[in-house]
Amino acid sequence: MDNSKIEELINNMTIEEKLAQMTQLSPVFFGVEPDIDLTGPMEELNISPADLPNIGSTLNYFGAEKLIHLQKEYTEKNPHHIPLLFMADVIHGYKTIFPIPLAMSCSFNPENYKNASAVAASESSASGIHLTFSPMSDLVRDPRWGRVMESPGEDPYLNCIMTEAAVQGFQGDDPKQKGKIASCIKHFAGYGASEGGRDYNWVELSENTLRQFYLPSYKAALDAGAKMVMTSFNVINGVPSSANKKLFQDILRNEWKFNGCTISDFAAVDETIINGLSANSEEAAKNSIEAGVDIEMMSTHYINCGKQLVEDGKLSMELIDRAVRNILNLKNDLGLFENPFKDADPEEEKRLHLCKHHRELARQAARQSAVLLKNNGLLPLKPGTKIGIAGPFADSTDTSGGWALAADRNTSSLSLALQERGFSVVTAMSGPLGSMEDQIFDIEDQTPQAEKAFADCDLILAAVGENPRDTGEACSRAYLRLSPNQEKLIRKMKEAGKPVVTVVFSGRPLELKPILPYTDALLQAWFLGTESASGLTDILSGDYNPSGRLAMSFPQTVGQIPVYYNHYRTGRPYYGQKDHYVSKYLDCPNEPLFPFGYGLSYSHVEYSDFSVRCEEGNVSAEITVTNNSSVSTLETVQLYIHDCVASVVRPVKELKGFQQEELKPGEKKTVRFKITKDMLKFYNQKLEYVFEPGEFEIMIGKNSQDVNTKRIWIN
Ligand code: GLC
């Protein structure tokens, strides 16, 4: 429909119809039972039945037949036959579930993120979905926050690359295309910096830090064409995001020229009252509409107060028309006026959901997202090894992780997959780990029974971690160790003289230092989705040489948090010297247990011949990488840069590039990086984005700690 028709439509709509179009309600209000839990608190919303036909969108209702029926019913009831927008949290898969986003970021392969999003788009659009509340690109530095699982991690550069790939996967060149859906970037902004790692807590960030670290990945999503922006729950620098003109007018609309649609998070407009910014419903509506939040998700202040605000001259109709225009344009961009059902097709659903090709892509992502953190030669498992497997994830098929709302249960467990791969497996102490929400904090101690059962096993595989329901939204933790009996299992098996492989299933970096002395090999398995068991077995059996690298630091202890690699030097840096007056802990190293970019493989790759040159102002760096092993490997060569002196202090290093190189046994390759001035820019004290000539450290290595460094002056 052309734009003149949109304007005509707006002119023909009553204010009640406009305010309803700006409201998003759960399908419960449409008299249907959603087949998933609500994703937020269900307050009593005084919606009159007369409003329903005018509501603009609904969320998290799935299924081609159901959505075709709902769309038919409501497009007919709507006085202007405006179609509903069907939005959903399709985060890391729809029916074929890929690894959690934090895990996929550890693959350092944007193709995995893109494939995951493209598969999710094709499967969910066949089920009638038009738009996904994804990708979440909140930068994170605090694993106490349960939502780190949804994030690409602690680095702005990697976050931008993964976020861009996700938007491309969801939307393709045009989300109107069959099999594509619109993408909504979230949560704008700074949600990952919630104080204390406690969800929904407030955020205090200097504008310099906000712009330098937290904003780039949201901008990357918009540069990739994301159609929508979602507010965040947090107050940021004193003002809730959902009423924050600095974010949604100054930065998003005026500076970034975003002309798409915005939406509040779940009841976040209402929370401007609870937070103490809005005195009442009227102010909540006024504050959020004026800030530029087009759609109010799951609260009804717009519908209940918008008309009175306009009649009392407290709110301009212009702002309401602005919001409605953004919403109708989005529906028009998706072709919904011509085809309100878009790709909903029960036959296509059956053909696409969990199809072989999708599962193959999910398995590739799973293999590449797990991270080998320790291996004293115990892995890969030798054929014929007799494995004693224990722990709550030995027999579990619940390995999709959070935000897999429409997923069916996984098909295989790790113990079953290992048996199918030809290993002889004995299982013991494999009872489930309940959820902390249900006040269950440990597994049953059956270590004596396990010791007996494993007496003639060659090694023990401890499949441990945290309950998947204890990660994600509203799942903050103050302690990050494995539960006592999970730690005891590992310790007792080692003390019984058995080699121990520990496989950790978690949605966040856990505190693994206590078990490190008792485990001979340590594999961070995250929650890898539908193909978790096959992907992990590919690694454990040696069919795949692990290539994952950490996208988020693992702390020595929770007391160290926040700990991240791109930190500042301080005026009293600690390098292990004996001085007292330096920036250090008396009882813990400054470095994380495992740093950003870290990961092992079954190969040994040597870095040599590192050189940096500056020719006619063009700076380049190169290094030779040699696979000194008998196993092919995928090596992620990482480029870091440090601006030694600048008008604001700069991090000791920042990731500015990485290249993944396949290396056959004995193969060597020279890896080159071009270093542009753009890569060296930063926000100065006046918040200008500038390059300043000076001395730089150029670093190339296999992770953020193990690097080769050269200094160079760049004009
Ligand atoms: C939730 C989440 C958000 C999600 C939305 C809709 O509260 O914060 O990420 O997209 O509500 O389910």
Side-chain angles (χ1 to χ4, degrees), residues 431-619:
L433 170 63
S435 161
M436 292 183 179
E437 196 83 76
D438 304 329
Q439 296 306 301
I440 299 171
F441 294 91
D442 209 345
I443 57 174
E444 204 185 322
D445 177 8
Q446 294 178 340
T447 41
Q449 296 90 318
E451 230 172 289
K452 277 203 197 76
F454 297 155
D456 64 346
C457 289
D458 301 317
L459 62 79
I460 307 305
L461 192 153
V464 294
E466 62 178 343
N467 184 305
R469 293 199 311 284
D470 292 340
T471 76
E473 184 171 355
C475 292
S476 308
R477 291 179 58 177
Y479 301 91
L480 295 178
R481 290 178 62 161
L482 291 168
S483 66
N485 287 335
Q486 292 187 91
E487 288 191 353
K488 181 177 177 184
L489 164 69
I490 294 163
R491 194 174 59 249
K492 284 292 182 191
M493 293 302 114
K494 186 65 188 165
E495 286 167 355
K498 294 289 182 188
V500 177
V501 177
T502 300
V503 181
V504 179
F505 295 78
S506 67
R508 72 183 93 208
L510 293 177
E511 194 175 318
L512 300 176
K513 189 171 185 178
I515 58 136
L516 214 47
Y518 303 101
T519 195
D520 301 286
L522 177 61
L523 182 62
Q524 174 61 29
W526 306 111
F527 291 110
L528 297 173
T530 304
E531 295 299 329
S532 170
S534 51
L536 288 171
T537 303
D538 290 342
I539 291 173
L540 293 166
S541 66
D543 288 350
Y544 183 78
N545 186 1
S547 57
R549 299 287 183 271
L550 292 180
M552 188 174 179
S553 307
F554 274 58
Q556 304 260 358
T557 169
V558 74
Q560 209 184 19
I561 291 169
V563 60
Y564 48 92
Y565 88 94
N566 44 5
H567 59 79
Y568 295 106
R569 184 182 301 283
T570 80
R572 298 192 176 185
Y574 175 56
Y575 304 112
Q577 70 274 38
K578 284 291 172 226
D579 303 346
H580 176 68
Y581 298 103
V582 287
S583 181
K584 72 177 189 300
Y585 298 103
L586 294 175
D587 54 358
C588 177
N590 286 359
E591 292 71 31
L593 184 65
F594 300 111
F596 176 84
Y598 177 84
L600 302 175
S601 73
Y602 298 145
S603 312
H604 172 69
V605 176
E606 189 188 327
Y607 284 60
S608 61
D609 309 326
F610 174 45
S611 67
V612 176
R613 60 172 65 87
C614 184
E615 284 153 358
E616 290 140 34
N618 297 318
V619 183

Side-chain angles (χ1 to χ4, degrees), residues 618-621 639 641 656-657 659 672-676 679:
N618 297 318
V619 183
S620 64
L639 168 74
I641 287 177
K656 292 293 181 184
Q659 292 180 33
R672 285 185 187 81
F673 292 95
K674 204 160 157 300
I675 293 153
T676 65
M679 292 157 76

Side-chain angles (χ1 to χ4, degrees), residues 85-122:
L85 238 177
F86 294 128
M87 305 189 195
D89 293 291
V90 183
I91 309 298
H92 53 113
Y94 178 68
K95 289 295 182 186
T96 306
I97 303 301
F98 282 69
I100 56 173
L102 182 61
M104 279 196 285
S105 229
C106 294
S107 73
F108 273 71
N109 178 359
E111 275 309 296
N112 287 318
Y113 242 90
K114 191 171 178 180
N115 290 338
S117 306
V119 165
S122 79

Side-chain angles (χ1 to χ4, degrees), residues 105-372:
S105 229
C106 294
S107 73
F108 273 71
N109 178 359
E111 275 309 296
N112 287 318
Y113 242 90
K114 191 171 178 180
N115 290 338
S117 306
V119 165
S122 79
E123 291 190 355
S124 62
S125 66
S127 287
I129 298 300
H130 302 143
L131 176 145
T132 179
F133 300 126
S134 187
M136 180 272 221
S137 76
D138 306 326
L139 185 125
V140 290
R141 293 171 164 173
D142 191 333
R144 294 172 295 180
W145 193 52
R147 302 197 75 165
V148 300
M149 58 143 295
E150 305 169 57
S151 166
E154 73 185 46
D155 177 70
Y157 177 82
L158 183 63
N159 287 7
C160 287
I161 286 181
M162 294 302 174
T163 299
E164 180 190 12
V167 173
Q168 287 166 349
F170 285 124
Q171 297 194 161
D173 300 332
D174 179 347
K176 192 192 289 184
Q177 284 170 343
K178 184 172 167 27
K180 293 300 177 186
I181 55 178
S183 165
C184 171
I185 186 68
K186 67 185 185 184
H187 304 82
F188 196 59
Y191 186 23
S194 298
E195 173 127 331
R198 184 155 47 88
D199 210 349
Y200 315 120
N201 214 353
W202 64 90
V203 168
E204 289 287 342
L205 291 170
S206 71
E207 183 158 350
N208 194 295
T209 297
L210 179 67
R211 288 178 176 277
Q212 194 65 46
F213 291 96
Y214 290 84
L215 292 188
S217 51
Y218 304 118
K219 181 72 167 50
L222 301 184
D223 291 346
K227 289 287 187 181
M228 183 180 268
V229 178
M230 181 187 289
T231 71
S232 57
F233 286 119
N234 56 283
V235 167
I236 177 162
N237 299 338
V239 179
S241 295
S242 301
N244 196 308
K245 285 183 183 168
K246 169 102 186 145
L247 287 179
F248 281 83
Q249 291 304 313
D250 300 352
I251 295 176
L252 186 66
R253 299 290 184 185
N254 301 336
E255 190 180 322
W256 292 355
K257 309 292 180 216
F258 176 65
N259 59 9
C261 192
T262 60
I263 188 169
S264 78
D265 202 339
F266 199 110
V269 170
D270 185 59
E271 290 169 19
T272 65
I273 301 173
I274 303 168
N275 265 303
L277 181 94
S278 307
N280 51 40
S281 180
E282 234 188 37
E283 280 194 13
K286 176 177 164 61
N287 288 334
S288 291
I289 291 173
E290 286 184 343
V293 180
D294 299 329
I295 300 175
E296 179 181 11
M297 181 197 294
M298 282 303 283
S299 56
T300 51
H301 301 292
Y302 289 9
I303 276 188
N304 293 334
C305 303
K307 182 177 181 185
Q308 195 60 51
L309 282 165
V310 170
E311 286 170 356
D312 296 348
K314 293 177 184 169
L315 182 71
S316 144
M317 181 59 121
E318 266 308 296
L319 298 183
I320 290 175
D321 288 348
R322 174 181 75 177
V324 174
R325 186 172 298 111
N326 291 336
I327 298 165
L328 297 181
N329 283 340
L330 175 57
K331 295 184 176 184
N332 201 27
D333 289 350
L334 291 168
L336 297 183
F337 287 101
E338 289 76 23
N339 172 13
F341 310 107
K342 198 167 181 303
D343 307 331
D345 178 341
E347 286 317 305
E348 195 69 345
E349 274 182 315
K350 291 191 195 96
R351 188 176 72 80
L352 287 171
H353 290 178
L354 285 163
C355 67
K356 186 168 178 292
H357 177 55
H358 290 177
R359 296 188 65 145
E360 282 165 357
L361 292 174
R363 183 166 174 171
Q364 175 67 347
R367 278 197 291 252
Q368 294 194 335
S369 301
V371 186
L372 184 62

